[in-house]
Amino acid sequence: MTSNRSGVLELAVLGLLHETPMHGYELRKRLNALLGAFRAFSYGSLYPCLKQLLVLGLIAEETDEPQDGSGRARAGRRSKIVYRLTADGKERLQNLLTEAGPAAWEDDGFGVHFAFFGQTRADIRLRILEGRRTRLEERLDGVRAALARTRERLDSYTLELHKHGLESVEREVRWLNELIASERRSDPSGYPGSRHADGTQHDAGSGGPGR
């Protein structure tokens, strides 16, 4: 899983299964809600991802037998496969949640990392937010420069479309500024106590998960 989009899907699957084991159909629905807005998910990519995670031992599958009211298996009802996170999967998720490089700032990766900020260390959250802001500011500079060069050659509708895109990016930069300020106010050190994906506590100055 080396491409950015497959890495995004891996993080999303592991993060959701960390919350609770799921059937494939339920996982598909949750992924669609999580990733749909970021255009990083297709149903055809889910099951190859699950297969590879199984091979790597990051998730395991169990059979969920339909039962009647007495707890006995129902005849004629198909059993369902339930996917759950393994210990290796929890460790892999924790590693993914510490990644704060450019892949976490891009359009595909940022939204998914942000969705799991509740499981992410404060210093990593801040680095991702600042990286995303830098990426968008670079984009703004490029769009403004291109608009200045081509404004006279654009018709009014195309010009309005460019302005709309510019305003959307500017709104996100303002939103990021607010989030960054909030993170810094919550703990100026950038390392407030927060929970890792494995449930351990990260304390200020510990340099790693709490013991």
Side-chain angles (χ1 to χ4, degrees):
M1 296 191 179
T2 56
S3 73
N4 188 33
R5 287 203 167 188
S6 61
V8 167
L9 184 55
E10 178 187 10
L11 171 58
V13 169
L14 295 179
L16 289 175
L17 291 181
H18 180 259
E19 297 174 3
T20 183
M22 295 186 203
H23 301 136
Y25 177 69
E26 183 182 5
L27 185 57
R28 283 173 57 181
K29 290 195 299 182
R30 294 288 304 278
L31 283 167
N32 189 58
L34 179 65
L35 298 181
F38 306 104
R39 302 178 183 272
F41 172 62
S42 67
Y43 290 135
S45 62
L46 172 59
Y47 290 100
C49 174
L50 289 173
K51 183 177 179 180
Q52 185 165 2
L53 293 175
L54 284 166
V55 169
L56 294 173
L58 302 181
I59 64 173
E61 56 183 18
E62 301 170 346
T63 302
D64 183 15
E65 296 284 354
Q67 297 180 342
D68 57 24
S70 64
R72 292 177 295 185
R74 290 183 177 179
R77 296 290 299 275
R78 292 181 60 185
S79 60
K80 294 181 179 179
I81 299 298
V82 176
Y83 298 97
R84 63 171 179 82
L85 208 59
T86 65
D88 286 343
K90 292 178 182 179
E91 183 178 352
R92 172 63 176 163
L93 174 60
Q94 183 174 335
N95 290 336
L96 290 174
L97 291 174
T98 63
E99 294 181 356
W105 313 340
E106 302 297 345
D107 293 344
D108 288 340
F110 173 73
V112 179
H113 277 272
F114 188 81
F116 295 111
F117 264 19
Q119 303 176 38
T120 304
R121 269 187 7 222
D123 61 312
I124 301 298
R125 294 197 303 265
L126 189 57
R127 286 169 60 190
I128 291 174
L129 291 172
E130 290 175 337
R132 176 64 175 175
R133 181 175 63 181
T134 297
R135 179 68 76 245
L136 291 182
E137 287 173 340
E138 292 170 351
R139 188 179 300 174
L140 278 174
D141 289 342
V143 172
R144 286 168 178 155
L147 197 56
R149 289 194 305 269
T150 61
R151 179 183 295 271
E152 299 302 324
R153 299 195 298 271
L154 297 177
D155 61 59
S156 60
Y157 297 104
T158 304
L159 185 60
E160 286 301 318
L161 186 61
H162 279 278
K163 288 181 178 179
H164 174 69
L166 196 62
E167 290 168 359
S168 297
V169 178
E170 289 171 339
R171 281 195 300 271
E172 186 172 348
V173 170
R174 290 194 296 270
W175 173 67
L176 289 167
N177 286 336
E178 294 172 0
L179 289 172
I180 290 168
S182 177
E183 288 284 336
R184 289 174 174 164
R185 282 195 304 269
S186 65
D187 190 323
S189 71
Y191 288 83
S194 59
R195 293 215 169 264
H196 290 278
D198 62 358
T200 58
Q201 186 79 16
H202 177 86
D203 298 315
S206 69
R211 300 293 182 186

